[in-house]
């Protein structure tokens, strides 16, 4: 993803390729990562006391988007919006387009979209413009430390066999940049946090297959000039085993989910005090400890 200083960022991601990979998944039902994110979303919604009357949820695959949720204030009915793989009766949307369909949402949830959007700021601005004042935006995206073992294994394999390395895993968001993204897009009261999970797979190939099905396996428009060969893949598997093998023969992988939330600005929201406006000195509150 890009954090441009000015002008439109370059087109980094091959969204058609990612869509084909999502659509070609051979497994049935919910994948592990999406299931994990949806479970976490349910817990986060349950802690919110507000009631939401018009809610929207966006995600790559329409078939995996829930039609409803539950907050402490009551049930939530989601309008669903697929950003890659469509389904009958569910709206579709390209995040790179300038206008989000519909208006007046008081809750918008984006799941696993941000890591394959070229212009993240524009995407967030479009979402904010489609929301009513004091509406809540929540997003989950793969974090920058995800798949660190796989990255290291490929780097080691290519350095060993070719003396250099190519980008083969999608660049991901650093949690430290997430709050800045929300602020630059015009959201108020931004909050970010990260959930880190260690996932175990039978072997590195099983991990690579799942990554490909999630669109995270080199979705960039510019591909390496030299493709991955069988010998390079075997070398990467060997290095992965050295880095992350478990006693039972399985391998571990780090999965980091970055969560972002922010509110569309409204006069009713709490605002920080202006510098110099405090009516009490900190020493008056805490007491003078310089004596005694």
């Amino acid at each position: 993803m890009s954090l441009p200083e000015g002008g439109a960022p370059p087109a980094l991601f091959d969204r058609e390729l990612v869509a084909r990979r999502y659509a070609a998944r051979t497994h049935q039902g919910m994948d592990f990562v999406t299931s994990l994110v949806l479970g976490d979303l349910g817990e986060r919604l349950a802690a919110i006391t507000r009631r939401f009357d018009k809610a929207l949820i966006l995600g790559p695959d329409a078939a995996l988007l829930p039609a409803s949720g539950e907050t402490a204030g009551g049930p939530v009915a989601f309008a669903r919006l697929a950003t890659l793989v469509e389904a009958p009766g569910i709206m579709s949307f390209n995040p790179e387009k300038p206008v989000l369909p519909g208006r007046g949402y008081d809750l918008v949830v984006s799941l696993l979209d941000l890591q394959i959007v070229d212009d993240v700021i524009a995407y967030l601005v479009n979402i904010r413009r489609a929301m009513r004042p004091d509406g809540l935006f929540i997003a989950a995206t793969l974090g920058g430390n995800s798949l660190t073992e796989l990255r290291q294994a490929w780097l080691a394999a290519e350095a060993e066999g070719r003396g250099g390395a190519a980008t083969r895993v999608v660049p991901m968001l650093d949690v430290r940049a997430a709050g800045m993204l929300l602020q630059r897009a015009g959201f108020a009261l931004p909050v970010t946090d990260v959930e880190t999970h260690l996932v175990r797979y039978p072997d590195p190939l099983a991990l690579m297959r799942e990554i490909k099905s999630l669109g995270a396996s080199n979705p960039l428009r510019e591909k390496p000039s030299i493709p991955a060969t069988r010998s390079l893949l075997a070398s990467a598997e060997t290095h992965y085993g050295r880095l992350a093998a478990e006693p039972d023969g399985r391998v571990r992988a780090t999965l980091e989910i970055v969560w972002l939330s922010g509110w569309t600005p409204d006069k009713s929201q709490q605002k920080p005090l202006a510098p110099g406006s405090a009516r009490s000195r900190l020493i008056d509150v805490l007491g003078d400890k310089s004596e005694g």
Side-chain angles (χ1 to χ4, degrees), residues 204-259:
L205 275 179
L207 166 64
M208 293 180 200
R209 284 192 292 269
E210 180 154 316
I211 292 169
K212 186 174 182 178
S213 75
L214 290 169
S217 176
N218 195 12
L220 302 177
R221 290 180 181 273
E222 292 189 11
K223 300 295 187 292
S225 57
I226 303 176
T229 61
R230 289 182 180 273
S231 61
L232 182 62
L233 178 60
S235 177
E237 287 187 81
T238 299
H239 282 287
Y240 200 108
R242 293 172 182 167
L243 285 167
E246 297 282 278
D248 62 357
R250 297 168 72 87
V251 295
R252 65 183 179 275
T254 300
L255 178 65
E256 187 176 86
I257 306 297
V258 175
W259 285 91

Side-chain angles (χ1 to χ4, degrees), residues 25-105:
R25 287 179 297 180
T26 56
H27 66 275
Q28 299 295 318
M30 192 75 65
D31 64 83
F32 172 77
V33 177
T34 302
S35 177
L36 189 69
V37 168
L38 287 176
D40 202 353
L41 173 65
E43 294 180 4
R44 289 167 185 266
L45 289 177
I48 300 172
T49 57
R50 180 174 300 195
R51 182 179 183 87
F52 297 104
D53 297 318
K54 188 174 183 180
L56 175 71
I57 190 165
L58 306 92
D61 191 340
L64 302 182
L65 295 176
S68 62
E70 186 86 21
T71 71
V76 178
F78 284 117
R80 290 173 288 174
L81 193 58
T83 56
L84 281 176
V85 182
E86 302 178 13
I90 296 179
M91 297 184 293
S92 62
F93 172 66
N94 183 346
E96 309 298 348
K97 299 298 182 182
V99 180
L100 190 77
R103 284 290 184 269
Y105 299 107

Side-chain angles (χ1 to χ4, degrees), residues 45-205:
L45 289 177
I48 300 172
T49 57
R50 180 174 300 195
R51 182 179 183 87
F52 297 104
D53 297 318
K54 188 174 183 180
L56 175 71
I57 190 165
L58 306 92
D61 191 340
L64 302 182
L65 295 176
S68 62
E70 186 86 21
T71 71
V76 178
F78 284 117
R80 290 173 288 174
L81 193 58
T83 56
L84 281 176
V85 182
E86 302 178 13
I90 296 179
M91 297 184 293
S92 62
F93 172 66
N94 183 346
E96 309 298 348
K97 299 298 182 182
V99 180
L100 190 77
R103 284 290 184 269
Y105 299 107
D106 53 8
L107 173 64
V108 173
V109 177
S110 168
L111 300 181
L112 302 175
D113 276 323
L114 293 180
Q115 68 260 18
I116 48 173
V117 173
D118 287 324
D119 194 338
V120 177
I121 300 296
Y123 179 41
L124 294 176
V125 168
N126 291 332
I127 290 176
R128 176 180 57 77
R129 289 174 176 168
M131 299 175 67
R132 65 181 57 171
D134 203 31
L136 176 61
F137 171 69
I138 302 175
T141 184
L142 295 179
N145 287 327
S146 292
L147 309 176
T148 182
E149 302 89 351
L150 183 62
R151 296 172 195 270
Q152 293 178 51
W154 275 108
L155 285 172
E158 296 206 11
E160 181 179 83
R162 297 176 178 172
T167 302
R168 299 190 183 277
V169 181
V170 59
M172 300 173 192
L173 177 65
D174 189 301
V175 66
R176 293 171 295 183
M180 182 177 66
L181 280 171
L182 291 171
Q183 289 179 319
R184 290 180 61 183
F187 284 97
L189 308 174
V191 176
T192 62
D193 65 275
V194 61
E195 298 279 352
T196 302
H197 307 270
L198 285 180
V199 189
R200 300 170 75 245
Y201 289 87
D203 52 63
L205 275 179

